[in-house]
Amino acid sequence: MNDASPMAMNDASARLLAVRAPLHAHLGADGERLALTTGEIPAGTEQEVVGLSVIDVATGVEAPAPGAQPGDRMGVWSPDGGLLAFVTNRRGPVELAVAGGGDLVQVIDGTAGISGPPNWSADGRFLAVACATGAGVDHSRPYRWSTAVIEADGIGALDDPPQILIVEPATGATRWLTETSPRCGPPGWRYAMPRWSPDGHRLAVVASNDPDGVLPGQWVRVVDTSGRIECPPVPGGRTVIPAWCADGTLVVLVAEPVGLPAGSAGQLWIGSGGAWREVEVRDLLGDVYGDQPAELADSYEHCLMPAGGRRVVVRVGGRGRHAVAEVDVDSGGVTILAGGPRCVSPVGVSADRVVVTAQSAVSMVDLAVITRDGLAERPLTSFAPPPAVEVKRFAVGDVDAWLLAPVGVAGPLPAVVIVHGGPHYAYGESFSIDAHALCAAGYAVLTCNPRGSTGYGDLFAHAVHGNWPVAAQDVLAVVDHAVAAGWVDPTRLGIAGNSYGGYLSCWLACTTDRFAAAVAENPVTDLVSMYGTSDIGTTFLPRQFGGPPWEQMDRYLAQSPVSVAHRCRTPMLFVVGTADRRCPATQAWAMHRSVLAAGTPSEVLVLPGASHEGSTYGPPAARLAHDAALVDWMDRWLGR
């Protein structure tokens, strides 16, 4: 047994985690001030420092936010810019606070348990927040449970799902919009992302975790101020994002629409009442994985934003890149506002400006501002200098790939292949602390988008349905190309990945002798048990394999890495989060024991309190320990 103490942490990853990472932002209606939340883990510590500041968009000058103190976050300007509402834990629980004129006005009672940023009504009189009611189960006493899922990954227990709370800052008065209404639908729905209509009479909200277990994913709902809920005829999806046009029509972005095969392209819907239609926009949303703590760049909250009149700003993406586009919802016309060989995501929109995040494989997340008329772009922040890493983009057939390596170091180098999760996501022009930590240690890093990745059309994304291991052929073809080009050493190859990336790492470790070491983080290893133990197992896996286990048992068994673990000759390190409900830790433990039984070295790194993405967004100790262990395991079996 080994203690992953701070003394053993990788210097490169510690330095990168000490860089300020943007977590949340809100642009004032006039486009002049940006409320920005950032987080950092100072070098030599395991404590994240969160701060709320204000950036003058015209000059880039940053100053403390009015009334805020360390730990405050998620600031949102009132429509007239006179007040800043934000989330605070200064009294212990997470609550709503309001500041104005440089001073804290109040922390509003009855708001403990806020689960997201507030949203102002257009007249500035009210705030809507998603907030727990405090009526959950007493977990210290025996209790019964009737619905399918008791806990969700990154959320925790589902016994007190957030409802919509209306707050009047001038008086401090609060009232529940959904929880107390007899017409609010089945109890147990989880509400999030409230958005006031321009007239202040309705809110668009996101509903998820259907307590009856019938509707998978997220769904848009419209709630009027009496609490009556409407269900627009819009498909649900893995993610849905609502936004109101100025005339009161609603626009909804749907990722992976329910009713279509998993991994299908996103859709954009517009309508009111019973009249709805789809607006054709290619490559909506995009899902390019980074591995860095800048949640603002990865959050879906800002991926659809009103842009005046009947126009919206959206994020689009393909072939490992993100761009920001403006869409005329009547004509369907699309104008790219920011793009190029990088990942750009919208943050805020005003009459003449758009604020975005920008990153690449060799540059960390920063903010920039774009003028909407001439599309001139200038940086707003510069949190870190570019690391000494160079990137080479190449393709093997239809598969895009990237090689990261230390600047000026000739190959062939020992190399680590990092496989993305999903399988319906992508790698590309995004920043990865894991990759840069490995490069700092002298390794090259290979990433690629094998079959199943998004951003290449539905046929490519659907190619892994019923055959998850087929993507391994694409990964090996990328490795062969890099070896033939003289970039990497074929005798010193490692492989790593999280979730589905962990699955494919396990599969390749057991079915080939190409890799000298493997690191599988929160992997899927036993598809049969995954069906019943994952928070999304009963909805996710049947869409991937053509049915539940009892209908497709041969597929579930034959494609489970535990079924071939007895053949594993690759030393394996498993990384598990104790709060992972997506791919529970038992998946890794089962594989670990099977690998040991085969006589192959295997270890498990346990990250207390970490959920499925815990090594990226979880407790600082988990982030640091994972990065250090990844480099250490490759050093042990590959050598630098």
Side-chain angles (χ1 to χ4, degrees), residues 86-88 91 93-97 106-116 127 129-133 165-168 172-176:
F86 55 88
V87 174
T88 184
R91 300 197 308 196
V94 179
E95 298 175 287
L96 180 66
Q106 61 182 324
V107 178
I108 298 174
D109 291 331
T111 60
I114 289 177
S115 60
L127 285 161
V129 294
C131 188
T133 67
L165 181 69
I166 304 301
V167 178
E168 188 175 14
T174 63
R175 69 181 180 91
W176 293 105

Side-chain angles (χ1 to χ4, degrees), residues 299-339:
S299 169
Y300 294 128
E301 177 188 349
H302 304 296
C303 289
L304 170 68
M305 308 187 75
R310 290 174 63 81
R311 295 172 298 163
V312 293
V313 165
V314 299
R315 191 178 76 189
V316 294
R319 303 193 72 90
R321 295 172 176 172
H322 284 160
V324 175
E326 184 174 301
V327 179
D328 183 313
V329 296
D330 291 319
S331 68
V334 177
T335 302
I336 300 297
L337 303 179

Side-chain angles (χ1 to χ4, degrees), residues 140-397:
S140 69
R141 300 288 302 163
Y143 63 94
R144 297 173 70 168
W145 193 262
S146 60
T147 58
V149 180
I150 191 169
E151 291 184 324
D153 186 70
I155 293 173
L158 299 177
D159 57 306
D160 187 13
Q163 303 296 304
I164 303 303
L165 181 69
I166 304 301
V167 178
E168 188 175 14
T171 64
T174 63
R175 69 181 180 91
W176 293 105
L177 185 63
T178 55
E179 191 268 342
T180 59
S181 170
R183 293 166 292 181
C184 68
W189 279 99
R190 181 182 184 88
Y191 291 106
M193 213 181 294
R195 299 284 187 269
W196 285 97
S197 63
D199 61 10
H201 297 319
R202 296 168 295 164
L203 289 106
V205 299
V206 174
S208 62
N209 296 104
D210 176 11
D212 293 333
V214 175
L215 299 176
Q218 298 183 346
W219 299 77
V220 69
R221 299 288 183 256
V222 176
V223 191
D224 67 23
T225 51
S226 71
R228 184 174 61 91
I229 291 183
E230 298 177 7
C231 302
V234 175
R238 173 171 52 83
T239 297
V240 298
I241 311 163
W244 295 94
C245 289
D247 64 357
T249 54
L250 185 62
V251 182
V252 183
L253 193 160
V254 182
E256 283 194 51
V258 171
L260 296 179
S264 295
Q267 298 176 347
L268 193 68
W269 289 80
I270 182 170
S272 180
W276 285 80
R277 63 181 174 84
E278 184 182 352
V279 180
E280 296 288 342
V281 180
R282 291 187 58 188
D283 300 326
L284 272 171
L285 194 63
D287 276 305
V288 180
Y289 261 144
D291 175 40
Q292 37 74 28
E295 295 179 23
L296 181 60
D298 294 334
S299 169
Y300 294 128
E301 177 188 349
H302 304 296
C303 289
L304 170 68
M305 308 187 75
R310 290 174 63 81
R311 295 172 298 163
V312 293
V313 165
V314 299
R315 191 178 76 189
V316 294
R319 303 193 72 90
R321 295 172 176 172
H322 284 160
V324 175
E326 184 174 301
V327 179
D328 183 313
V329 296
D330 291 319
S331 68
V334 177
T335 302
I336 300 297
L337 303 179
R342 55 182 180 163
C343 281
V344 194
S345 193
V347 169
V349 182
S350 69
D352 58 352
R353 294 169 174 159
V354 178
V355 174
V356 302
T357 60
Q359 62 177 315
S360 74
V362 293
S363 58
M364 299 187 76
V365 176
D366 268 302
L367 292 132
V369 59
I370 300 162
T371 55
R372 290 174 65 182
D373 50 4
L375 300 185
E377 180 178 335
R378 60 179 172 82
L380 271 183
T381 62
S382 182
F383 291 128
V389 172
E390 57 189 4
V391 61
K392 184 190 304 290
R393 179 177 178 141
F394 61 101
V396 180

